[in-house]
């Protein structure tokens, strides 16, 4: 959702802001830079959009609100130059602004800013500007975190804490340099990817002029370009008006199978309709795709009309989605800001406490200011962002080792929360290639027995085999057959040979030279007296030319060709597609009566079934007439030929992976473009639908005539009743709302009808739907959005062909592509099976738990140091420069980076990691550890002051001084050498106790099972902790020597502290949630997530699921009735 407001500059507001900026030393300008909405409202007055000079645009995505500030630009145009010749030439001022590489112009009629495709185009260029290092540096340095660091360094320098300040500056410089290098590298890589072949010379036809050469950057919509015979990289989106092209669209889809593009129809109903990018996709050449080959006339070259340029193209929109991604709406990141605000509140308390205490002790004003501000810098850990990123970086490296490549590291944490994964079928759950199982011909209204060999001699001249040999979209690229895997298998099963015309042959003929297919020579009999008389007597007479091709349409679920056999006067049409669709286009008497039963038998066994039909066209049809006929006129009154049965085997890894996901309480469903019964069969065979579970098919039809839209609920065969089916385990012991005994199966057509006419049923249906068949690419994306609307964290796994939209829209999209990285998906697996899914979820869970552990540890680190400093302030002391340096660098940084090294646990467990920092158990854990640290620090602080040997420390009174027994009373009151009072017994005591508290909470918070490997397997962390403990015991960083008895006491305090911390954390893990639920009376509280709440409602609904063969009709928008048939 986007909202826009108009503003005009206000002089008196600007003066006030200027004065405030001067008085605040520029801090006000920084605040307004971070909050553009405040900046606009603070310097401008609200006005209409028409009169605005400044715009404020607010974009809302989920719970994220992002504000953008724009300044209106003006351009002076001549209407005559815009070809509006019916208007008297005049000059006009046009208002516009640019947002995300798109220009929006003011529309006087609509009284709004709109994107005018047909008014201003600019250069046809997808320009990815690589910003200079200076600009990137300024933007990075102005980040609030680095501004706070700068403030901290200035403050520490004022306190003469030069070593610590220098260390923080060094860390910040490294962090900024690394960030700049990464950002610059990403810009350069994207620029190089986009710039490759983006600017080239093209042949353009403009008006009645001859063909002229022009740069691709000069193209505008409406230009007619020539596609050369040897192909090209498309510099724009263009629609074919003459000829045919073979295109490689792998840049956009990740699928390397060449696609045939045909010209727009010039007559019939389709030609009368307005051009639509989605509807006419099979006629459109997209920017960035490679035209491999063209077919053309001698007199008419292959031509295309430019329809979109620059960032408006398909490639441009893809680049824009990379340049300007939607904000990641993840609860962890939102809660992190709230947690930091809590720390700021704690700092505020310490700030006030320090001021009051210092005034009471008559401390100088300068010291009060410095120490009170210093307490604020202590509560915000400087290494927090780097430490939080470490776990994700380590997870990304581990994923790369198992062949999973990531271009969006922040999504790794999201993978830890996945509770639903959508799978494509073909190439994902099943093998990519199809094997020919058999053909079953239809003769005289009945099916003949299945035949496994379509290439045998008795079938070589049959109409059925001719249809198999001609009805496809195969082409030859560098001498090799290429095209859809199904077509390749079908054609190779016939044994026929495909030949395409060369450029020289094409140039010699006026009509386009067709692709020719013929049987192999050894299959052509030399005489006609060999068994059954065959019609074709020579190889030449067997040649069949493919005159016209209507490519496969996912919307129509069919393709067809028009062919002519050499020597024949008439042409023939062959149709191939989904059996139900093909049968509906055939003469009813040619379709066997057992068609439905036979088809159901094969699809239940998991076979891929394709139907074939034939029609002899009228003799009067010439080649030119056929080129102008619509496919609707050809694809009618067909004669049903039979079925092609192909076997699509389930991959070996599929069943095991789905079982593992089921046991981990992760729901799985199938989204495919295949037949419904085939999809259900595959779902049962791979374990997605178990043997004892029912499948209910929701068959919806749109309203027609006076009949409203309706849904018929078909139950498949009764499930197998198996008494001992369940395997005893965690999953079967804990039956939740997720596990029910029925599943819905929905087709793409039904999904569209239900979405439009039964919106109140959509969420109920998808809650239990497992199979989605015949789904179009945009419907897959729509399904993902519906699942997200009921609070599922959705993963999508596909082969990259028609799943790009869903892969990008899902929380975690995994593309099974051979490419190392895909611009269409956050994750790309180099393995071609779904075993990557549990690997990704395991690493996501480990990374998410690591983020929680590191955040809790860094929060405790700042609080522990805050407590130490606050206690020392009460005696007008503080930690020393070297002590700060040792704690922050030698302890905290090293631990924060090494505690993230725990790899993922080897199994996916039933429960998922928490998703929120602001949750009862987590807050309880943090608060109990804070209280524990507070108690033991206060205990140590008070105990040391109660010791009999305690006195104000001086170098002469050091416990390690051998002459301490001869001290005189006068020496005890000697003025300390340390004017900052750093070296004293309280400081030493708190330094030791707090140092071990850091180590204790690091061990306590570094969780292992069930999401990460146990901490004792992280050797690096243990070596670091051991070294730090030894160093703490022998450290002499501004500490004083204490008596041996007190050292023993400190060891006891540290051990008891660690034991209490460990026991409290274990108790919190075991009973924290239950105790908090009992304490706040929330045991029967309804679930927060919508899908669980909806499941509870459906449990009490006696009419759900609908009864077998009942019909649900759409009467009113919010109501429906069911009636049995």
């Amino acid at each position: 959702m986007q909202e826009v407001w108009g503003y005009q500059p206000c002089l008196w507001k600007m003066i006030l802001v200027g004065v405030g900026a001067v008085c605040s030393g520029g801090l006000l300008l920084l605040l307004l830079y971070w909050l553009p909405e405040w900046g606009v409202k603070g310097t401008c007055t609200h006005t209409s959009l028409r009169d605005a000079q400044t715009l404020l645009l607010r974009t809302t995505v989920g719970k994220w609100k992002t504000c953008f500030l724009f300044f209106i630009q003006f351009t002076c145009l001549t209407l005559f130059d815009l070809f509006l010749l019916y208007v008297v030439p005049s000059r006009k001022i046009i208002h516009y602004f640019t947002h995300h590489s798109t220009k929006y112009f003011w529309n006087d009629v609509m009284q709004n800013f709109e994107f005018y495709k047909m008014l201003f185009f600019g250069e046809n260029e997808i320009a990815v500007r690589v910003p200079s290092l200076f600009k990137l540096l300024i933007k990075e340095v102005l980040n609030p975190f680095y501004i706070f660091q700068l403030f901290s360094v200035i403050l520490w320098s004022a306190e003469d804490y030069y070593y610590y300040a220098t260390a923080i500056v060094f860390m910040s410089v490294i962090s900024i340099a690394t960030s700049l290098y990464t950002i610059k590298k990403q810009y350069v890589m994207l620029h190089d990817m986009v710039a490759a072949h983006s600017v080239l010379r093209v042949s353009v036809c403009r008006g009645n002029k001859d063909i002229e050469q022009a740069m691709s950057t000069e193209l505008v919509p409406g230009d007619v370009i020539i596609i050369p015979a040897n192909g090209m990289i498309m510099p724009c989106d263009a629609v074919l008006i003459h000829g045919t092209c073979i295109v490689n669209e792998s840049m956009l889809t990740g699928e390397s199978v060449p696609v045939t593009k045909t010209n727009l129809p010039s007559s019939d109903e389709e030609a009368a309709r307005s051009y639509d990018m989605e509807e006419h996709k099979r006629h459109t050449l997209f920017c960035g795709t490679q035209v491999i080959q063209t077919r053309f006339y001698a007199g008419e070259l292959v031509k295309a009309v430019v329809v979109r340029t620059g960032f408006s193209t398909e490639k441009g929109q893809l680049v824009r989605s990379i340049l300007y991604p939607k904000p990641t709406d993840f609860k962890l990141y939102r809660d992190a800001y709230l947690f930091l605000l809590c720390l700021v509140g704690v700092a505020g308390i310490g700030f006030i406490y320090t001021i009051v205490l210092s005034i009471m002790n008559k401390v100088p004003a300068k010291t009060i200011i410095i120490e009170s501000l210093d307490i604020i810098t202590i509560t915000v850990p400087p290494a927090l962002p780097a430490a939080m990123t470490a776990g994700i970086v380590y997870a990304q490296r581990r994923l790369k080792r198992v062949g999973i490549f990531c271009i969006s590291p922040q999504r790794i944490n999201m993978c830890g929360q996945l509770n639903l994964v959508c799978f494509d079928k073909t190439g994902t759950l099943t093998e990519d290639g199809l094997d020919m199982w058999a053909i079953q011909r239809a003769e005289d209204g009945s099916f003949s027995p299945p035949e496994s060999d379509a290439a045998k001699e008795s079938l070589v001249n049959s109409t059925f085999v001719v249809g198999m040999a001609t009805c496809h979209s195969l082409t030859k690229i560098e001498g090799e057959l290429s095209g859809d895997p199904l077509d390749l298998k079908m054609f190779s099963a016939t044994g026929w040979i495909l030949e395409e015309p060369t450029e020289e042959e094409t140039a010699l003929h006026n009509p386009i030279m067709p692709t020719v297919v013929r049987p192999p020579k050894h299959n052509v009999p030399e005489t006609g007296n060999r068994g059954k008389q065959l019609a074709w007597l020579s190889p030449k007479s067997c040649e069949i030319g493919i005159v016209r091709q209507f490519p496969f349409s996912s919307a129509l679920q069919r393709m067809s060709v028009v062919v002519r056999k050499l020597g024949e006067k008439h042409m023939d049409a062959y149709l191939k597609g989904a059996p139900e669709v093909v049968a509906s286009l055939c003469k009813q008497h040619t379709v066997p009566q057992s068609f439905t039963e036979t088809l159901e038998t094969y699809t239940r066994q998991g076979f891929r079934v394709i139907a074939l039909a034939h029609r002899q066209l009228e003799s009067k049809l010439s080649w030119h007439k056929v080129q102008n006929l619509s496919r609707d006129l050809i694809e009618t009154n067909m004669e049903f030929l039979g079925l092609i049965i192909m076997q699509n085997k389930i991959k070996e890894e599929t069943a095991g992976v789905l079982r593992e996901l089921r046991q981990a309480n992760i729901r799985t469903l199938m989204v495919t473009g295949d037949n419904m019964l085939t999809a259900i069969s595959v779902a049962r065979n791979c374990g997605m639908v178990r043997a004892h579970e029912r499948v209910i098919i929701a068959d919806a039809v749109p309203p027609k005539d006076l009949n409203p839209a309706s849904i018929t609920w078909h139950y498949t065969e009764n499930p197998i009743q198996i008494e001992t089916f369940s395997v005893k385990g965690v999953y079967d012991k804990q039956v939740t709302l997720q596990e029910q005994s029925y599943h819905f199966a929905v087709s793409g057509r039904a999904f569209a009808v239900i979405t439009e006419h039964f919106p109140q049923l959509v969420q109920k249906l998808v809650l239990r739907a497992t199979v989605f068949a015949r789904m179009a690419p945009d419907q897959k994306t729509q399904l993902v959005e519906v699942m997200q609307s009921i609070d599922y964290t959705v993963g999508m796994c596909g082969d990259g062909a028609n799943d790009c939209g869903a892969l990008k829209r899902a929380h975690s999209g995994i593309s099974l592509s051979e490419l190392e990285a895909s611009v269409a998906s956050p994750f790309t697996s180099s393995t071609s099976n779904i075993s990557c899914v549990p690997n990704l979820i395991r690493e996501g869970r480990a990374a998410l738990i690591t983020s929680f552990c590191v955040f809790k540890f860094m929060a405790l680190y700042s609080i522990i140091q805050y407590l130490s400093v606050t206690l020392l302030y009460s005696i007008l002391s503080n930690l020393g420069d070297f002590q700060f340096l040792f704690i922050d660098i030698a302890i905290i940084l090293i631990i924060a980076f090494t505690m993230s090294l725990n790899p993922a646990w080897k199994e996916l467990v039933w429960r998922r990691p928490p998703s929120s920092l602001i949750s009862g158990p987590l807050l309880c854990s943090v608060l109990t550890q804070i209280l524990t640290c507070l108690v033991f620090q206060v205990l140590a602080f008070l105990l040391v002051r109660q010791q009999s040997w305690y006195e104000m420390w001086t170098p002469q009174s050091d416990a390690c001084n051998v002459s301490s027994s001869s001290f005189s009373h006068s020496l005890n009151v000697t003025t300390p050498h340390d004017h900052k009072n750093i070296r004293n017994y309280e400081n030493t005591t708190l330094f030791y106790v707090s140092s071990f508290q850091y180590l204790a909470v690091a061990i306590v918070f570094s969780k292992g099972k069930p999401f990460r490997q146990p901490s004792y397997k992280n050797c690096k962390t243990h070596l670091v902790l051991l070294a730090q403990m030894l160093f703490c015991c022998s450290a002499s960083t501004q500490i004083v020597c204490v008596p041996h008895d007190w050292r023993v006491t400190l060891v006891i305090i540290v051990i008891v502290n660690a034991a209490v911390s460990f026991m409290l954390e274990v108790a919190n893990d075991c009973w924290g949630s239950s105790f908090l639920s009992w304490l706040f009376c929330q045991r029967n509280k309804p679930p927060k997530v919508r899908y669980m709440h909806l499941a509870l409602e459906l449990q009490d609904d006696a009419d759900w699921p609908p009864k077998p063969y009942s019909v649900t009709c759409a009467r009113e928008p919010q109501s429906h009735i069911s009636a049995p048939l």
Side-chain angles (χ1 to χ4, degrees), residues 1081-1112:
C1081 303
Q1082 292 184 340
R1083 287 195 170 186
N1084 298 319
K1085 186 179 178 181
K1088 293 181 180 179
V1089 290
R1090 295 180 193 172
Y1091 67 86
M1092 294 292 288
H1093 185 76
L1094 188 61
L1096 283 173
E1097 290 182 356
L1098 293 181
Q1099 276 192 329
D1100 300 329
D1101 190 346
D1103 297 326
W1104 193 264
K1107 300 296 185 292
Y1109 302 106
S1110 62
V1111 178
T1112 302

Side-chain angles (χ1 to χ4, degrees), residues 298-318:
E300 294 186 54
L301 299 175
V302 177
K303 297 179 181 178
V305 176
V306 178
V307 291
R308 295 193 302 192
T309 58
F311 278 98
S312 301
T313 63
E314 200 78 10
K315 179 181 177 181
Q317 292 176 12
L318 191 59

Side-chain angles (χ1 to χ4, degrees), residues 524-528 530 537:
V524 182
E526 295 181 359
T527 64
R530 186 177 175 182
L537 301 180

Side-chain angles (χ1 to χ4, degrees), residues 940-997:
F941 181 79
L942 296 177
L943 275 179
V944 71
R945 298 171 69 90
Q946 300 298 322
Q947 300 303 308
S948 58
W949 48 263
Y950 174 81
E951 58 188 0
M952 180 176 287
W953 181 89
T954 64
Q956 291 76 20
S957 66
D958 196 300
C960 297
N961 196 322
V962 294
S963 61
S964 57
S965 59
S966 61
F967 288 161
S968 65
H969 180 72
S970 60
L971 286 176
N972 289 337
V973 294
T974 304
T975 304
H977 181 265
D978 181 11
H979 68 279
K980 288 190 176 182
N981 194 20
I982 300 297
R983 296 169 68 86
N984 55 61
Y985 293 119
E986 292 89 347
N987 173 289
T988 299
T989 299
L990 289 180
F991 174 73
Y992 274 126
V993 171
S994 64
S995 294
F996 280 99
Q997 283 180 338

Side-chain angles (χ1 to χ4, degrees), residues 87-368:
V87 180
V88 178
S90 61
R91 299 189 69 80
K92 186 175 181 181
I93 301 297
I94 301 297
H95 299 210
Y96 72 94
F97 71 95
T98 305
H99 175 49
H100 286 177
S101 302
T102 303
K103 286 185 178 179
Y104 295 84
F105 297 86
W106 176 253
N107 185 336
D108 252 342
V109 178
M110 301 295 295
Q111 289 292 297
N112 204 347
F113 284 93
E114 292 186 350
F115 171 44
Y116 278 81
K117 295 180 183 178
M118 302 304 296
L119 188 57
F120 304 101
F121 308 109
E123 285 191 344
N124 174 35
E125 183 182 13
I126 304 173
V128 178
R129 311 294 182 193
V130 180
S132 66
L133 279 175
F134 179 74
K135 286 185 178 179
L136 290 175
L137 178 63
I138 295 300
K139 189 174 181 180
E140 189 74 13
V141 169
L142 290 181
N143 184 291
F145 173 74
Y146 291 117
I147 295 297
F148 180 77
Q149 289 291 64
L150 178 63
F151 164 75
S152 302
V153 167
I154 294 172
L155 183 64
W156 294 327
S157 300
E159 295 181 277
D160 295 332
Y161 290 162
Y162 295 117
Y163 293 104
Y164 186 51
T166 304
I168 294 300
V169 168
F170 180 71
M171 286 173 49
S172 299
V173 168
I174 292 177
S175 177
I176 291 173
T178 305
S179 179
L180 289 181
Y181 172 77
T182 305
I183 295 171
K184 182 82 172 180
K185 184 180 178 181
Q186 289 175 347
Y187 269 109
V188 170
M189 288 177 62
L190 185 59
H191 175 270
D192 293 343
M193 183 194 79
V194 173
H197 311 291
S198 62
V199 180
L200 63 156
R201 297 195 71 82
V202 292
S203 301
V204 187
C205 302
R206 285 175 175 156
N208 296 322
K209 298 180 182 179
D210 296 332
I211 297 174
E212 61 182 45
Q213 296 294 313
M215 297 303 295
S216 59
T217 53
E218 300 172 8
L219 293 176
V220 295
D223 282 345
V224 178
I225 60 174
I226 307 299
I227 311 296
N230 58 350
M232 65 185 295
I233 302 290
M234 288 300 299
C236 58
D237 287 354
V239 60
L240 274 172
I241 56 173
H242 289 296
T244 304
C245 293
I246 309 297
V247 186
N248 182 354
E249 294 187 333
S250 60
M251 184 268 164
L252 293 178
T253 65
E255 181 63 41
S256 58
V257 175
V259 180
T260 302
K261 302 283 186 174
T262 58
N263 59 284
L264 275 174
S266 55
S267 61
D268 69 35
E269 294 179 4
E270 189 176 0
R273 292 198 294 268
S274 299
Y275 172 76
D276 179 80
M277 187 69 69
E278 278 300 316
E279 185 179 348
H280 298 98
K281 185 178 288 186
R282 61 185 182 276
H283 310 298
T284 305
L285 306 174
F286 293 105
C287 178
T289 60
Q290 182 179 10
V291 178
I292 303 171
Q293 286 183 358
T294 62
R295 303 278 185 79
F296 55 91
Y297 305 91
E300 294 186 54
L301 299 175
V302 177
K303 297 179 181 178
V305 176
V306 178
V307 291
R308 295 193 302 192
T309 58
F311 278 98
S312 301
T313 63
E314 200 78 10
K315 179 181 177 181
Q317 292 176 12
L318 191 59
V319 173
R320 284 180 62 200
S321 68
I322 298 172
L323 282 174
Y324 316 108
K326 291 181 180 179
T328 305
D329 187 13
F330 194 42
K331 196 168 177 55
L332 171 65
Y333 305 130
R334 283 186 274 122
D335 290 348
Y337 291 112
L338 293 176
F339 211 99
L340 286 176
L341 285 177
C342 293
L343 292 180
V344 172
V346 173
I349 296 172
F351 178 79
I352 297 171
Y353 163 80
T354 304
I355 293 176
V356 173
L357 187 67
S358 300
I359 292 173
M360 291 173 61
N361 287 280
K362 299 180 180 179
V363 176
K366 178 183 176 183
T367 306
I368 293 176

Side-chain angles (χ1 to χ4, degrees), residues 744-979:
F744 286 115
V746 186
S747 67
R749 186 185 73 163
F751 184 74
V753 172
I754 293 169
T755 303
E756 182 178 356
H757 299 284
F758 300 88
Q760 74 280 3
L761 291 182
V762 172
Q763 293 187 351
K764 290 183 179 181
L765 196 64
V766 299
L767 187 69
R768 296 286 178 259
T770 301
V771 177
F772 292 85
R774 299 293 190 203
M775 294 287 279
D778 59 325
Q779 289 180 318
K780 293 183 181 182
T781 307
Q782 190 178 359
L783 175 63
V784 170
E785 292 173 346
V786 171
M787 291 298 184
Q788 290 173 336
S789 71
I790 55 175
D791 293 339
Y792 274 112
T793 306
V794 183
M796 174 71 194
C797 183
D799 59 2
N802 294 311
D803 309 312
C804 291
L807 287 169
K808 285 193 290 185
R809 190 68 187 90
H811 291 103
S812 173
I814 313 154
S815 174
L816 304 184
S817 171
E818 295 180 358
L819 302 176
E820 181 172 300
S822 171
V823 292
S825 175
F827 300 94
T828 304
S829 174
S830 59
T831 57
S832 58
N833 58 67
I834 63 172
S835 61
C836 60
V837 175
N839 287 335
L840 183 60
I841 296 175
R842 275 194 292 268
E843 290 296 345
R845 289 183 172 185
L848 186 58
I849 285 295
T850 298
S851 295
F852 279 108
C853 294
V854 171
F855 199 96
K856 289 164 64 178
F857 171 70
M858 297 300 287
L860 259 294
Y861 141 65
S862 62
I863 294 297
I864 291 170
Q865 195 172 85
Y866 169 82
L867 294 174
S868 301
V869 172
T870 304
L871 288 172
L872 290 175
Y873 275 4
S874 67
I875 60 168
L876 303 181
S877 181
N878 200 351
L879 291 174
D881 192 5
F882 285 104
Q883 290 173 332
F884 275 121
L885 191 65
F886 175 77
I887 291 170
D888 285 301
I889 305 298
I891 296 181
I892 304 304
L893 266 187
I894 297 176
I895 289 179
F897 282 101
T898 55
M899 74 186 300
S900 303
L901 290 173
N902 290 33
W905 183 241
K906 56 187 176 183
E907 296 177 1
L908 281 178
V909 296
W910 172 266
R911 63 189 179 95
R912 289 179 293 136
S915 61
S916 173
L917 280 171
I918 314 298
S919 61
L922 192 142
L923 290 178
C924 185
S925 169
V926 172
L927 290 175
T928 52
Q929 295 300 327
I930 290 175
L931 289 174
T932 302
C933 294
L934 173 63
V935 167
F936 281 95
Q937 282 201 36
V938 171
L939 176 65
F941 181 79
L942 296 177
L943 275 179
V944 71
R945 298 171 69 90
Q946 300 298 322
Q947 300 303 308
S948 58
W949 48 263
Y950 174 81
E951 58 188 0
M952 180 176 287
W953 181 89
T954 64
Q956 291 76 20
S957 66
D958 196 300
C960 297
N961 196 322
V962 294
S963 61
S964 57
S965 59
S966 61
F967 288 161
S968 65
H969 180 72
S970 60
L971 286 176
N972 289 337
V973 294
T974 304
T975 304
H977 181 265
D978 181 11
H979 68 279

Side-chain angles (χ1 to χ4, degrees), residues 433-493:
L434 295 168
D435 295 321
M436 177 68 72
W437 185 78
I439 62 173
Q440 191 160 14
R441 293 182 295 158
E443 295 178 348
D444 301 325
S446 63
F447 281 115
S448 60
E451 298 169 278
S452 59
D453 185 10
K456 61 183 179 181
E457 195 170 326
S458 60
L459 295 176
V460 70
N461 67 331
S462 65
T463 309
F464 192 95
V465 172
V466 172
M468 291 176 63
T470 57
C471 195
H472 53 71
S473 57
L474 300 178
T475 186
K476 275 194 173 183
I477 299 175
E478 297 180 356
E480 293 291 329
L481 271 180
S482 182
D484 186 88
L486 185 147
D487 288 345
L488 281 170
K489 284 288 183 182
M490 181 185 71
F491 183 77
S492 63

